[in-house]
C-alpha cells in the first residue's frame, strides 16, 4: 500500500483512539499488585496501546509514490494503492515495507508473545499474535501460536482456521471454521454469517426480519447459487 504525499498523512490517523509513545518491553510486565485481575487488565491494556502505536507508525511510514509515476497498481482506493495478499505471488511489484515498520512489528510480536505467556486464555492477545506473525511471513511461528491458544475453544478454532487458510490448506480451514461457528455464541455466529452486505434493498428487509437460526437455510441457498 502506498500513500499520496499531496494529502497530509495525519488524516490517515483519524480512526485511531489515542496517540501514544512506543511502549518499552517492560510495559508487558507491569509491576505486580495483589490483584491478579487488575494485573491481567493492565497487561491487556498495555498491549492494546502498543498495537495502536504500531499501526500509527505503520501508516506514517507507508511507501510513497508520486502521482503519475510509473508504478503498477492493481487496485486504487482513494489515494491508496493496494496489492492482493496472494501467498503464491512472488512478484516484486509492490514496494518494500519501511525498515522502521518491520522492526516495530517485530517489537510488537515480542510483546504479544510475552503477553500470551502470561495470559494464555486471552483471546484478543492470541488472535493479534497470530495476525502479526502471519503479516511477518512467519507461518510456522503463527501455527505454533495458534496451537497454543487457550482462549474459548470456538475462538481458537477460528484462529487456527486463519493459519490453515493462509497456508492454502483449505480443507482444514473449512473444517475449523465450521467448528468455530458451531461452538460460537449465537450473536457471534449470526454476525459472522450475516449476508446483508451481499443483498439488495428488498432482500435485506426480508433477511433482517429472520432470526439467526432462520437465516441458516437462506445463507446455504445463497452460497449454493453463488457456487
Amino acid at each position: 500500500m502506498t500513500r499520496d504525499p499531496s494529502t497530509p498523512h495525519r488524516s490517515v490517523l483519524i480512526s485511531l483512539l489515542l496517540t501514544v509513545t512506543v511502549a518499552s518491553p517492560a510495559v508487558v510486565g507491569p509491576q505486580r499488585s495483589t490483584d491478579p485481575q487488575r494485573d491481567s487488565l493492565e497487561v491487556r491494556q498495555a498491549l492494546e496501546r502498543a498495537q495502536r502505536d504500531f499501526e500509527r507508525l505503520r501508516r506514517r511510514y507507508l511507501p510513497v509514490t508520486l502521482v503519475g509515476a510509473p508504478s503498477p497498481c492493481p487496485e486504487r482506493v482513494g489515494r491508496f494503492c493496494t496489492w492482493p495478499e496472494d501467498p503464491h505471488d512472488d512478484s516484486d511489484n509492490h514496494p518494500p515495507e519501511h525498515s522502521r515498520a518491520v522492526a516495530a512489528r517485530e517489537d510488537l510480536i515480542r510483546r504479544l508473545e510475552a503477553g500470551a505467556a502470561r495470559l494464555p486464555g486471552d483471546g484478543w492477545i492470541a488472535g493479534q499474535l497470530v495476525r502479526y506473525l502471519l503479516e511477518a511471513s512467519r507461518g510456522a511461528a503463527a501455527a505454533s501460536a495458534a496451537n497454543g491458544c487457550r482462549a474459548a475453544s470456538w475462538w481458537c478454532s477460528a484462529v487456527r482456521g486463519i493459519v490453515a487458510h493462509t497456508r492454502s490448506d483449505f480443507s482444514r480451514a473449512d473444517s475449523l471454521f465450521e467448528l468455530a461457528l458451531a461452538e460460537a455464541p449465537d450473536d457471534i455466529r449470526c454476525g459472522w454469517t450475516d449476508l446483508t452486505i451481499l443483498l439488495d434493498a428488498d432482500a435485506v428487509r426480508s433477511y433482517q426480519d429472520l432470526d439467526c437460526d432462520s437465516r441458516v437455510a437462506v445463507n446455504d441457498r445463497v452460497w449454493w447459487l453463488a457456487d
Side-chain angles (χ1 to χ4, degrees):
M1 180 183 291
T2 65
R3 60 179 175 85
D4 178 356
S6 63
T7 304
H9 68 260
R10 187 182 301 275
S11 64
V12 180
L13 309 179
I14 292 176
S15 64
L16 294 180
L17 299 177
L18 297 170
T19 299
V20 292
T21 58
V22 176
S24 66
V27 167
V28 173
Q31 197 170 26
R32 288 185 178 275
S33 70
T34 57
D35 185 351
Q37 186 172 3
R38 179 180 175 182
D39 284 344
S40 298
L41 180 61
E42 289 177 350
V43 171
R44 169 70 176 269
Q45 289 176 338
L47 288 171
E48 289 176 350
R49 289 194 299 270
Q51 186 215 29
R52 288 196 296 268
D53 230 16
F54 166 71
E55 292 297 340
R56 178 174 65 89
L57 183 143
R58 185 222 295 265
R59 286 167 175 79
R60 180 180 179 186
Y61 286 100
L62 285 176
V64 176
T65 300
L66 296 177
V67 175
S71 176
C73 182
E75 183 174 354
R76 184 176 296 279
V77 181
R79 61 194 179 89
F80 292 99
C81 185
T82 65
W83 282 262
E85 296 183 7
D86 184 354
H88 303 295
D89 182 7
D90 296 325
S91 65
D92 294 324
N93 291 332
H94 54 81
E97 190 172 28
H98 196 285
S99 59
R100 290 196 63 174
V102 173
R105 181 187 292 105
E106 289 301 316
D107 181 63
L108 177 60
I109 286 173
R110 286 191 292 270
R111 296 166 196 243
L112 288 167
E113 287 173 335
R118 288 192 59 180
L119 303 176
D122 189 302
W124 182 87
I125 296 176
Q128 295 304 316
L129 175 57
V130 169
R131 167 193 176 183
Y132 288 111
L133 285 169
L134 289 174
E135 275 192 9
S137 299
R138 295 170 56 184
S144 178
N147 290 333
C149 177
R150 296 295 179 268
S153 61
W154 63 270
W155 177 255
C156 293
S157 292
V159 170
R160 292 173 189 131
I162 291 291
V163 174
H165 180 84
T166 304
R167 291 181 152 189
S168 299
D169 188 351
F170 302 122
S171 178
R172 175 170 168 75
D174 182 68
S175 298
L176 287 165
F177 290 143
E178 286 291 341
L179 181 61
L181 288 173
E183 296 180 341
D186 289 344
D187 58 332
I188 298 294
R189 175 171 54 85
C190 201
W192 281 6
T193 58
D194 190 304
L195 297 184
T196 300
I197 194 172
L198 303 179
L199 306 176
D200 60 31
D202 291 336
V204 164
R205 284 191 288 271
S206 299
Y207 188 79
Q208 291 178 335
D209 287 338
L210 301 173
D211 60 31
C212 190
D213 289 335
S214 300
R215 293 180 183 182
V216 173
V218 175
N219 292 348
D220 288 345
R221 169 168 280 197
V222 169
W223 291 124
W224 178 77
L225 289 170
D227 288 341

